[in-house]
């Protein structure tokens, strides 16, 4: 038995038949980590001893008390608080921070009987799109070790794609679950804002951040979201809506579904191979009975500047507490309070974080607040209205998740059209607070391509239905990177 080739449902059946134990599944995961982690570098902290002790205890739980995720392994992005395990946010600022409580999502995966394997690498404080901005290591794409896994949840996506973890949790502020999912050929869901509690998530931009699951197939993803979603009295922004069993939506029936395809999603800057894969995916949906129509998303072109003003403004406020006194890195040998503040933040934060704090501070300054920040909020309202208008006529919106496949490590995208295309594909979803899922829909030159499906607020079940129908009609879910067998370099 290898964890790498099994779905959660298949493993659960093996557990139920006592053909395998939780301990054996856990050992299998750590065996895989030992084999490939040296190449992939997805984990910042591996909690092998704790996980094996947890597995021993779980094997004593009676079968009738076990749920669908019981005994299955999960990795946690390192900006989600974990009791007794370091939570660094990929930053020197929190290099030695060991929390004394669990985030709500971590409590819920533990209540479901899942085994936590450790903490996953990320761009510092979730700022970046390649996972090269971590203060500790660079995560590599399991499909091609010379390429990035995407970001900022690159460690979460790479761990699932490489078979080191069956499930992982990431966070999505402007596409940080969906884009790495597309780059690594896995399934990534960004839920509706408020669907999943953010209590215990170290905030980047509080009005945009959302925790989301990454898995190798749609059914596993639906199961994990069912487990972590729901109201939380610790988070007043969490929704009080009832959480359905999302697996019940996986009927495969999408006949009559009305699908909108914004012209902006397949315009200039999107790679031709990506366009071709998405158009083939649209044909698949049409063959299953969906009705496809081209539409306009008129204010999407303003998504990038709007996002950066709001996200950086909120980041400058959220990260103000990391000053070396209340939280974070504190340098030695300082002579006075002013030097303590200055050196704590200049030595503790990396360049990408400093850049965004400076920009956000400028946007919130007295001279610029009305002219920059308030205007950005008005544009955000227009983008939200665009989505609301489309969802009056259509069930889902479909397009690419990313304009290109994964970049080479160290490669920066300077093409303004590609940068523009990437931004309008994912960022508007966070500004509107609606859910979106990325599923594999093709491969170009050995690298995966993602199909993004966007829905109205709290329509995650519908997104899973469409994604599952597409997954069952194609064979992209079977795509497997060859990391660990020497074929990737």
């Amino acid at each position: 038995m290898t964890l790498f080739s099994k779905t959660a449902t298949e493993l659960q059946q093996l557990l139920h038949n006592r053909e395998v134990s939780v301990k054996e599944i856990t050992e299998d995961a750590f065996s895989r980590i030992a084999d490939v982690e040296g190449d992939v570098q997805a984990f910042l902290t591996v909690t092998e001893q704790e996980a094996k002790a947890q597995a021993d205890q779980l094997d004593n739980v009676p079968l009738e008390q076990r749920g669908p995720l019981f005994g299955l392994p999960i990795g946690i992005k390192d900006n989600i608080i974990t009791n007794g395990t370091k939570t660094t946010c990929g930053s020197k600022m929190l290099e030695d921070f060991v929390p004394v409580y669990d985030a709500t999502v971590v409590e819920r995966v533990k209540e479901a009987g899942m085994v936590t394997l450790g903490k996953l690498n990320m761009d510092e404080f979730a700022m970046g799109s390649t996972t090269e901005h971590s203060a500790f290591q660079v995560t590599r794409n399991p499909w091609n070790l010379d390429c990035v896994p995407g970001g900022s949840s690159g460690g979460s996506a790479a761990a699932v794609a490489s078979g080191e973890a069956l499930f992982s949790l990431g966070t999505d502020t402007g596409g940080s679950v969906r884009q790495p999912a597309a780059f690594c050929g896995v399934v990534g869901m960004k839920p509706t804002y408020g669907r999943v509690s953010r209590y215990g998530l170290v905030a980047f931009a509080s009005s945009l951040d959302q925790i989301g699951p990454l898995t190798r197939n749609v059914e596993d993803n639906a199961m994990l979201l069912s487990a972590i979603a729901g109201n939380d009295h610790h988070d007043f922004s969490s929704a009080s809506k009832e959480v359905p069993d999302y697996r019940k939506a996986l009927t495969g029936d999408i006949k009559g579904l009305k699908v909108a395809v914004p012209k902006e999603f397949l315009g200039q800057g999107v790679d031709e191979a990506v366009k071709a894969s998405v158009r083939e995916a649209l044909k698949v949906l049409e063959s299953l009975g969906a009705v496809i129509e081209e539409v306009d998303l008129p204010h999407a072109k303003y998504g990038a500047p709007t996002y950066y003003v709001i996200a950086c403004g909120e980041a400058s406020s959220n990260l103000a507490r990391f000053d070396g006194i209340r939280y974070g890195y504190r340098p030695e040998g300082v002579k006075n309070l002013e030097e303590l503040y200055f050196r704590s933040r200049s030595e503790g934060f990396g360049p990408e974080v400093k850049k965004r704090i400076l920009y956000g501070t400028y946007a919130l300054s007295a001279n610029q607040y009305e002219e920059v920040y308030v205007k950005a909020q008005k544009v955000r309202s227009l983008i939200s209205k665009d989505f609301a208008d489309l969802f009056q006529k259509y069930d889902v919106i479909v397009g690419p998740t990313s304009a290109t496949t994964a970049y080479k490590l160290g490669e920066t995208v300077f093409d303004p059209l590609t940068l523009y295309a990437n931004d309008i594909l994912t960022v508007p979803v966070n500004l509107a607070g609606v859910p979106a899922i990325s599923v594999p829909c093709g491969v170009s030159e050995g690298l995966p391509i993602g199909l993004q499906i966007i829905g109205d607020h709290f329509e995650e079940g519908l997104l899973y239905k469409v994604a599952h129908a597409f997954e069952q009609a194609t064979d992209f879910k079977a795509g497997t990177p060859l990391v660990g067998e020497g074929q990737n370099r």
Side-chain angles (χ1 to χ4, degrees), residues 431-451:
L431 292 169
V434 294
I437 190 169
S438 179
V439 291
C441 72
V443 176
S444 174
E445 298 182 356
L447 291 168
I449 295 169
L451 179 74

Side-chain angles (χ1 to χ4, degrees), residues 171-232:
T171 62
D172 193 320
T173 306
S176 294
V177 163
R178 290 160 286 154
Q179 182 250 27
F183 278 11
C184 291
V186 299
V187 179
M189 166 66 89
K190 181 266 171 198
T192 305
Y193 184 79
R195 178 80 284 186
V196 177
S197 170
R198 292 179 298 109
Y199 178 71
L201 167 64
V202 180
F204 162 14
S206 304
S207 74
L208 301 167
D209 295 336
Q210 189 61 79
I211 297 171
L214 293 108
T215 57
R216 289 177 62 80
N217 64 65
V218 174
E219 183 180 11
D220 290 1
N221 205 287
M223 283 197 290
L224 183 52
L225 184 61
S226 292
I228 64 173
N231 183 244
D232 175 20

Side-chain angles (χ1 to χ4, degrees), residues 116-163:
T116 52
L117 302 174
K119 305 301 290 291
L120 295 161
N121 195 26
M122 55 183 285
D123 286 307
E124 185 177 5
F125 283 102
M127 299 179 191
S129 57
T130 63
T131 313
E132 294 172 294
H133 297 291
S134 168
F136 306 112
Q137 63 191 34
V138 172
T139 299
R140 294 169 180 269
N141 191 314
W143 290 76
N144 184 330
L145 296 173
D146 293 327
C147 293
V148 303
S152 65
S153 304
S156 301
V160 172
S162 64

Side-chain angles (χ1 to χ4, degrees), residues 76-87 89 94 97-108 110 119 197-203 211 232-235 321-322 327:
I76 311 291
K77 187 175 178 179
D78 207 27
N79 58 349
I80 300 173
I81 295 290
T82 43
N83 186 10
T85 300
K86 283 205 298 185
T87 299
C89 292
L94 290 175
F97 175 50
V98 180
V100 294
Y101 70 98
D102 279 326
T104 295
V105 290
V106 176
E107 283 183 352
R108 289 179 177 175
K110 287 182 177 177
K119 305 301 290 291
S197 170
R198 292 179 298 109
Y199 178 71
L201 167 64
V202 180
I211 297 171
D232 175 20
H233 70 275
H234 291 301
D235 177 3
R321 64 184 182 273
F322 299 110
Y327 292 98

